[in-house]
Amino acid sequence: MSSQPISSQTIDSNWLWEDLLRSIVFIDNSRAAKILRNFQAVQYQKILGSVDPNYWNINSVQYAIAFESLQKAPAHRFERDCRVDIANCVLRVLLYQRINSPAKATEHLDLLAKLIEAPAQAMNILSNVHIGLERNFLVEKSRNVPVLVFLADRLIEKQKSLDDFDCVAALRRLAKSVMRYLFSNISQQTSVHYLEELYAWLAGRPTLESKDSENRRSRSVVMEAALDAYLRHRTEVLDPLRQEMGTLNVVRQHFLNSLLKPFYRLDYGRLQEPPARHEVGVGLECLASFTDLLIMNPDLPNFYSTLVAIPEYVRLHKNRDETDMGDYCSVDYLQTRVSRMEYKLGVWDQHLHPSFLGTARKLRNMQSAREKDNLLRHFREAVTMLGPQSKEELLKALIGTDQDGGNLEDSSILLLRTALDDLKDPAQLTEQMGALLPRVFFTISQRISPSLDPRECTLLMQCLSILMQKHSRMVSQWDIENVLAKITSTSLGLNTKVKGSSSIFLGLCKLFSTILAVHRAKLGGRYHLILQALQGLLQCLFIPYKGNGAAKGEATVLGEVHAAAFSKLLTTICEPSVSAVSGSKRISRLELNDETKKAKSIAGRHLHYFIMEYCSLQLKGRLLPEVKAKLAPGLYSVLKVISEEVMKTMNAAMDSSSRSVFKALYGEFKRACR
């Protein structure tokens, strides 16, 4: 049988190419991975090999595979020349090829923005070098505008993509990435030249003169990114750009007036249409960068009356079907943009603006998780800018007037945590705020209960942890004792069959750990409270037996993660950290050793009651094998600090059944310590 050479043309390598490009090997930094990434870039460029865009087949399977592989690979892993070539190819596709879906246009914009994260000056989007096509009128047309602006125009003209909501957001991200690069490299002549051309173009077009809403939207996104970057970095610009500063201040004012015009004649009825909501939302996003000028604008009262009327009108007339059409065209999207604008204007007031007080209601009414996150982020940014008096008024409003915290609910607690997290420096607190924080602490601690919604309970515990960590001087010994009592009552009332008990148990362990780390000095002589809290948490890990001794089944949601958290808590008690025993005092190493030995000795004189409780619970229920394994290190830490004398006394106080359980535990401890 004669063997004949196989022609390479008879081998179908498409499957190999597909598997290769979709492999995770590209995140590696080995030599083989570098070779494959170079092959990746070459193959992508090969698909776009022709100069004429009419011959580009970006809807082919090969292009989809190559593009997907570029999306997965980290930009900084490509060599510099590869990144430049890929970025310029992607830009050519966006400028000269009709992409068949807005989603794909968004993906191309995001890929270009990702490549800019590992920038190179030779990238056309960063150097304002136009990628022209031979014998094409677009070459001459593009030279009249900066590349970034030309790209926005082409997305409208060629792709018809900026009526898509994600695509506008992607264009905004790209524009801001380009501006960040230019100002971070302001010392380079190419960046200065690019900025000069961009701002000269803006100076010649201070308004959004286009009547087409899509074109206005694209231009406004790019112009807002450019002018906002100028405002943020105007103290860093070089002399060539300083000559434009006076003109650009005028341009900002004209651009603001241009953005305000649609709101003076706003047709509320059109807001029932998602594209109209999106157009208003984009306008509000752009206006948020001009609040320094807006607060001095004589038309501010008219604009504000329109602003506050938008969500009320939409809320009363919204169509439920339209709210599910996507985050970027939903009623929630518009509500978030309106709220952000209100916050931006409200931070200039001396007293707390009413918009902050309505945030909890807005969060409750929202359906979009993404817009909830956006609203909370805007709230956090605005709270940072508030004055001391406004922050005090905000805390008072959030905790309400009831001392038991009865007015607190999920949204209010979430905002309360955000507000407390912003109070970072205790030295900057006013006297009034210092008097308010103990009341806030008490109100929150009284609200914690096992019957509470798990999310609310977890948020409340996070608020307490923030106050104990950042404002420890505001927390008294009575407050700590009260929290320990709450940990005990909450753990004893916890239903471990319910899914929400998982987060509550972990929250209790973290709260207990915070007390030990920051307020250990306030626990002297109060080990009875510590023991009660530990015994309550330990009880949650056991699965009780039925009356006849048969196992009840795996009727618990607590597992090895919870056992590990509790075990770490036991270790923290028995092996205290340096900061926990020293507090804020500066002591010598010898004194520190003495303090550590003292803390361990005190723990050893009391924790034998915990071991006795563990042995007793072993007779009434059982631990899952994985729970027992994770709990063991904590139990061994307890046994290490108990002296032989206390151990003998404990052993004598046990009944025969408990003594058998302890003997087995002690044997395991001795084997583990060999």
Side-chain angles (χ1 to χ4, degrees):
M1 180 176 177
S2 62
S3 60
Q4 296 181 354
I6 300 176
S7 172
S8 60
Q9 295 181 353
T10 65
I11 300 177
D12 183 9
S13 60
N14 284 339
W15 65 271
L16 177 62
W17 162 239
E18 181 175 349
D19 287 349
L20 188 62
L21 288 189
R22 287 177 173 162
S23 171
I24 61 172
V25 72
F26 295 111
I27 66 174
D28 191 9
N29 202 30
S30 63
R31 179 176 176 82
K34 289 180 180 179
I35 295 173
L36 288 174
R37 281 193 292 270
N38 289 336
F39 174 63
Q40 206 178 353
V42 169
Q43 188 68 17
Y44 179 71
Q45 296 173 68
K46 184 178 178 181
I47 296 173
L48 302 176
S50 175
V51 175
D52 191 343
N54 292 322
Y55 292 97
W56 298 346
N57 187 9
I58 65 170
N59 296 317
S60 65
V61 175
Q62 288 78 9
Y63 182 87
I65 295 171
F67 186 81
E68 181 186 340
S69 71
L70 295 177
Q71 288 179 296
K72 290 183 177 181
H76 67 278
R77 293 297 191 190
F78 288 100
E79 294 181 356
R80 180 183 176 279
D81 291 342
C82 285
R83 292 199 307 272
V84 171
D85 292 339
I86 295 170
N88 292 342
C89 283
V90 174
L91 182 59
R92 284 208 306 167
V93 170
L94 286 167
L95 290 176
Y96 301 113
Q97 180 68 17
R98 185 179 294 279
I99 302 176
N100 60 9
S101 75
K104 286 188 177 181
T106 302
E107 291 174 353
H108 281 73
L109 288 168
D110 283 336
L111 177 58
L112 193 53
K114 186 179 82 168
L115 292 167
I116 293 175
E117 293 175 3
Q121 186 177 323
M123 293 180 180
N124 297 126
I125 192 70
L126 298 179
S127 57
N128 203 30
V129 174
H130 286 271
I131 307 175
L133 300 179
E134 296 179 1
R135 299 180 302 279
N136 195 311
F137 78 98
L138 289 172
V139 178
E140 296 300 325
K141 180 181 178 182
S142 65
R143 288 173 183 162
N144 298 324
V145 296
V147 169
L148 196 57
V149 180
F150 183 54
L151 172 61
D153 291 345
R154 289 292 289 166
L155 285 171
I156 290 297
E157 181 181 342
K158 193 76 174 176
Q159 317 293 7
K160 292 295 181 185
S161 295
L162 286 185
D163 56 347
D164 180 76
F165 313 102
D166 291 298
C167 197
V168 172
L171 177 62
R172 183 187 297 278
R173 290 192 292 269
L174 176 63
K176 289 188 177 294
S177 296
V178 171
M179 298 310 299
R180 275 196 303 271
Y181 167 81
L182 294 176
F183 277 101
S184 63
N185 294 272
I186 193 68
S187 58
Q188 297 181 7
Q189 189 58 39
T190 52
S191 296
V192 174
H193 184 64
Y194 193 160
L195 290 170
E196 283 181 323
E197 289 191 4
L198 178 60
Y199 289 131
W201 181 86
L202 286 175
R205 292 163 180 80
T207 61
L208 299 169
E209 67 277 359
S210 176
K211 294 182 179 180
D212 182 71
S213 62
E214 292 179 347
N215 194 270
R216 284 174 55 88
R217 207 176 305 158
S218 63
R219 287 283 179 95
S220 65
V221 165
V222 174
M223 291 174 73
E224 181 268 331
L227 291 173
D228 182 56
Y230 152 75
L231 183 65
R232 292 172 182 271
H233 300 278
R234 56 184 171 184
T235 58
E236 308 167 14
V237 297
L238 303 178
D239 290 337
L241 287 176
R242 291 188 190 279
Q243 300 174 4
E244 303 285 344
M245 290 181 65
T247 304
L248 288 177
N249 287 331
V250 176
V251 170
R252 289 187 75 236
Q253 185 62 60
H254 284 305
F255 184 52
L256 170 64
N257 294 336
S258 182
L259 288 171
L260 287 174
K261 281 183 179 178
F263 291 92
Y264 298 150
R265 54 178 186 274
L266 183 64
D267 182 2
Y268 293 104
R270 290 187 60 240
L271 294 179
Q272 298 308 304
E273 304 170 6
R277 289 200 295 267
H278 181 240
E279 183 179 351
V280 171
V282 171
L284 291 174
E285 284 186 343
C286 293
L287 279 169
S289 300
F290 296 86
T291 50
D292 59 319
L293 298 178
L294 185 56
I295 59 169
M296 298 182 291
N297 194 294
D299 290 329
L300 177 59
N302 294 333
F303 168 74
Y304 191 77
S305 62
T306 302
L307 183 70
V308 297
I310 290 174
E312 289 300 320
Y313 183 88
V314 174
R315 182 176 61 85
L316 292 173
H317 299 85
K318 68 180 180 181
N319 185 324
R320 299 295 298 181
D321 295 334
E322 291 181 351
T323 60
D324 299 325
M325 293 179 62
D327 284 344
Y328 279 105
C329 60
S330 66
V331 174
D332 291 346
Y333 162 83
L334 189 58
Q335 175 68 78
T336 303
R337 272 64 195 172
V338 170
S339 298
R340 184 193 182 197
M341 197 69 220
E342 289 183 301
Y343 297 153
K344 287 277 189 177
L345 295 173
V347 297
W348 297 88
D349 291 356
Q350 182 179 1
H351 296 282
L352 184 67
H353 194 271
S355 60
F356 289 89
L357 302 180
T359 306
R361 175 180 55 81
K362 296 170 187 174
L363 282 172
R364 285 195 302 271
N365 295 333
M366 280 189 173
Q367 299 175 345
S368 166
R370 176 159 68 173
E371 291 309 325
K372 282 185 178 181
D373 291 339
N374 286 336
L375 181 61
L376 193 61
R377 175 169 54 86
H378 298 323
F379 178 84
R380 184 183 299 112
E381 293 171 354
V383 167
T384 305
M385 303 295 293
L386 289 176
Q389 185 173 348
S390 294
K391 289 181 180 179
E392 181 184 345
E393 293 175 7
L394 178 62
L395 286 180
K396 287 181 179 179
L398 288 174
I399 64 172
T401 57
D402 293 344
Q403 289 294 315
D404 63 352
N407 288 342
L408 288 175
E409 44 80 35
D410 183 274
S411 300
S412 298
I413 301 170
L414 191 59
L415 299 179
L416 180 61
R417 186 191 65 177
T418 302
L420 292 173
D421 196 40
D422 181 68
L423 301 175
K424 297 177 182 178
D425 189 358
Q428 296 180 357
L429 295 182
T430 63
E431 184 178 347
Q432 293 79 3
M433 184 66 79
L436 176 63
L437 288 182
R439 176 190 159 195
V440 173
F441 190 93
F442 173 75
T443 303
I444 295 172
S445 62
Q446 290 298 102
R447 179 67 171 153
I448 294 177
S449 167
S451 60
L452 200 61
D453 178 80
R455 175 174 166 79
E456 292 182 19
C457 195
T458 303
L459 288 172
L460 287 170
M461 289 188 283
Q462 290 174 1
C463 291
L464 291 180
S465 295
I466 290 172
L467 284 171
M468 286 193 290
Q469 289 173 333
K470 297 186 176 182
H471 306 282
S472 57
R473 294 183 180 180
M474 305 292 176
V475 182
S476 66
Q477 183 166 319
W478 183 87
D479 289 326
I480 297 300
E481 294 175 7
N482 185 43
V483 173
L484 284 174
K486 277 292 180 181
I487 292 175
T488 303
S489 61
T490 303
S491 59
L492 290 175
L494 199 59
N495 183 0
T496 57
K497 300 176 185 178
V498 180
K499 185 177 181 181
S501 62
S502 171
S503 60
I504 294 179
F505 184 89
L506 292 175
L508 291 171
C509 290
K510 290 179 182 177
L511 185 61
F512 204 156
S513 297
T514 302
I515 294 175
L516 295 171
V518 185
H519 298 275
R520 193 181 185 109
K522 297 174 182 175
L523 295 176
R526 278 127 182 109
Y527 254 89
H528 62 288
L529 296 175
I530 294 177
L531 279 170
Q532 290 174 2
L534 289 176
Q535 290 168 352
L537 291 169
L538 177 65
Q539 182 177 311
C540 295
L541 297 174
F542 278 85
I543 301 174
Y545 290 128
K546 281 189 175 182
N548 59 2
K552 190 177 182 179
E554 315 302 315
T556 179
V557 297
L558 305 186
E560 53 184 324
V561 174
H562 308 85
F566 183 67
S567 180
K568 184 178 179 182
L569 180 61
L570 293 173
T571 305
T572 303
I573 295 175
C574 301
E575 301 174 11
S577 64
V578 172
S579 60
V581 296
S582 64
S584 59
K585 299 181 295 183
R586 293 185 178 181
I587 58 178
S588 65
R589 180 176 296 181
L590 183 60
E591 291 175 315
L592 183 61
N593 290 335
D594 291 341
E595 290 291 332
T596 304
K597 289 180 181 178
K598 182 180 177 181
K600 290 183 177 181
S601 176
I602 294 174
R605 290 201 300 266
H606 294 87
L607 288 180
H608 63 282
Y609 292 110
F610 174 79
I611 295 296
M612 294 175 69
E613 178 69 13
Y614 172 80
C615 296
S616 175
L617 288 172
Q618 283 277 29
L619 301 174
K620 301 174 185 177
R622 67 186 185 89
L623 294 171
L624 296 175
E626 60 272 20
V627 170
K628 188 174 182 179
K630 292 293 182 180
L631 186 59
L635 294 173
Y636 299 160
S637 296
V638 174
L639 292 173
K640 284 180 183 178
V641 298
I642 300 178
S643 65
E644 287 189 20
E645 183 180 352
V646 174
M647 199 88 72
K648 290 178 181 178
T649 304
M650 176 184 66
N651 193 48
M654 290 181 181
D655 57 29
S656 58
S657 300
S658 297
R659 198 175 292 122
S660 299
V661 175
F662 174 68
K663 184 178 180 181
L665 174 64
Y666 192 74
E668 293 171 359
F669 165 64
K670 283 297 185 181
R671 286 191 293 272
C673 293
R674 285 177 184 174

